[in-house]
Amino acid sequence: MPTPEYIQDLRRDIGHKELLLPAVTAVVLRRVGEDAAPLADPEVLLVRRADNGDWSATSGILEPGESPATAAVREVAEETGVSARPVRVASVADHGLVVYPNGDRCRFTDICFEMEYVSGAPRVADDESTQVGWFSTSELPEPLTRQHRQSIAAALDAGAPTAFDP
């Protein structure tokens, strides 16, 4: 999904000034194979972004009134066609100021979820990505940002308490 309409409305009023926005990252993990046997290395669902070519976990902005867990499920379905369920909050972080090519400035408070794969074959389901696929967590593709590597690591630490930015 492109920039939500409510943010476009805000931008008409405030221009390129910095916005603080709630966001989610959904790290969808597959820990068992199709034969129901545990995988030696869990697999993570990644998308290749259309805007910059980077690989990333599924992420997006919350809609007004939407809970973070609901947003994570929605973003995964919208971007990959996969159904996943939230397991836990893996991390909460501010990854710094983002300045877009058009001059818009945003800072995202990111809630990262460890997500469990439920069903569906991964596919490019919107115009935000050019590729979607499963990757062994021991062989992640490049380019993959530090932010998404940290999110994947936090999600892989099953059962650990939520990690917070210092």
Side-chain angles (χ1 to χ4, degrees), residues 83-130:
S83 175
R85 73 171 189 82
V87 174
R88 67 184 176 95
V89 172
S91 66
V92 177
D94 173 349
H95 299 291
L97 180 65
V98 177
V99 180
Y100 290 95
N102 69 353
D104 286 353
R105 301 166 63 83
C106 295
R107 188 174 298 272
F108 299 97
T109 299
D110 182 59
I111 302 167
C112 173
F113 286 88
E114 173 189 349
M115 305 282 286
E116 178 181 51
Y117 168 75
V118 174
S119 64
R123 62 182 170 77
V124 174
D126 64 14
D127 61 356
E128 291 185 47
S129 58
T130 59

Side-chain angles (χ1 to χ4, degrees), residues 66-89:
E66 184 176 43
S67 78
T70 300
V73 170
R74 174 184 54 78
E75 287 289 345
V76 171
E78 284 178 357
E79 293 185 25
T80 71
V82 164
S83 175
R85 73 171 189 82
V87 174
R88 67 184 176 95
V89 172

Side-chain angles (χ1 to χ4, degrees), residues 55-67:
W55 287 97
S56 72
T58 303
S59 59
I61 300 167
L62 276 71
E63 296 289 338
E66 184 176 43
S67 78

